Amino acid sequence: MKAKTIAQYGLLAALALVLSYLESLVPAFFAVPGMKLGLTNLVVLLALYRMGELPALAINFVRIVLVSLLFGSALSFLFSLAGGLLSWLVMCLLRRSAHFSMLGVSMAGGVAHNVGQILAAMLVLETWQVASYLLALWVSGVAAGLAVGLICHEVSRRLPDQLFSGGGN
């Protein structure tokens, strides 16, 4: 792996870490516990479109580990991992289909992240009752995914192609 590629991974992982920290400063005013804006998905989406699937996965995983170590717990790691992996998988599949724009991919990723976290919660808590949060999380996932997708589209449009390795394969 080239030094430029390693530096890109590191910069994007650091950006995701900073966005996660900034997001943690936003007071929890939402109706569902743990609901967040999903700003870190901006970095994963950007990496997916500009660098490819595996770099996006690597950056997402590093971000999840670092955020859990610095700001979370083993339980938050499990929930973030479940949501992050399902979100990444859904975004990759929809991006490959060529029937979804970056906005659609982002919104589906936001919803999938929330679904992954609910599935993890159902396993950990051994109850299906946490699924009652799904409707609120779907709505918030679509809204956050739309916002993240719009921002990512604009950022991606303004960044030069030479800035990224891999070219979004």
Side-chain angles (χ1 to χ4, degrees), residues 39-112:
L39 295 176
T40 57
N41 202 40
L42 171 65
V43 176
V44 177
L45 190 64
L46 184 63
L48 177 64
Y49 274 85
R50 298 300 292 269
M51 297 171 76
E53 294 174 356
L54 292 179
L57 177 63
I59 292 164
N60 198 21
F61 183 74
V62 167
R63 188 261 319 162
I64 290 167
V65 169
L66 290 176
V67 168
S68 296
L69 286 172
L70 294 172
F71 313 121
S73 64
L75 202 53
S76 67
F77 172 75
L78 176 66
F79 291 160
S80 292
L81 186 63
L85 290 178
L86 185 59
S87 175
W88 172 82
L89 178 63
V90 166
M91 290 192 302
C92 288
L93 292 173
L94 293 183
R95 182 172 179 265
R96 285 182 190 176
S97 77
H99 295 293
F100 292 86
S101 68
M102 184 184 282
L103 294 179
V105 169
S106 180
M107 288 187 288
V111 171

Side-chain angles (χ1 to χ4, degrees), residues 10-168:
L11 286 172
L12 289 175
L15 178 59
L17 188 61
V18 168
L19 289 174
S20 182
Y21 174 72
L22 290 174
E23 193 171 61
S24 75
L25 298 176
V26 176
F29 58 90
F30 299 109
V32 178
M35 189 184 296
K36 294 185 179 180
L37 299 172
L39 295 176
T40 57
N41 202 40
L42 171 65
V43 176
V44 177
L45 190 64
L46 184 63
L48 177 64
Y49 274 85
R50 298 300 292 269
M51 297 171 76
E53 294 174 356
L54 292 179
L57 177 63
I59 292 164
N60 198 21
F61 183 74
V62 167
R63 188 261 319 162
I64 290 167
V65 169
L66 290 176
V67 168
S68 296
L69 286 172
L70 294 172
F71 313 121
S73 64
L75 202 53
S76 67
F77 172 75
L78 176 66
F79 291 160
S80 292
L81 186 63
L85 290 178
L86 185 59
S87 175
W88 172 82
L89 178 63
V90 166
M91 290 192 302
C92 288
L93 292 173
L94 293 183
R95 182 172 179 265
R96 285 182 190 176
S97 77
H99 295 293
F100 292 86
S101 68
M102 184 184 282
L103 294 179
V105 169
S106 180
M107 288 187 288
V111 171
H113 187 89
N114 291 337
V115 169
Q117 289 186 322
I118 288 293
L119 291 173
M122 290 170 69
L123 289 172
V124 168
L125 301 173
E126 298 180 353
T127 180
W128 58 269
Q129 292 175 330
V130 292
S132 63
Y133 289 124
L134 275 176
L135 180 59
L137 290 173
W138 281 337
V139 171
S140 72
V142 167
L146 177 61
V148 165
L150 288 169
I151 293 167
C152 188
H153 176 71
E154 193 60 29
V155 167
S156 183
R157 191 177 68 77
R158 293 173 184 257
L159 292 176
D161 290 337
Q162 310 85 290
L163 194 61
F164 295 93
S165 297

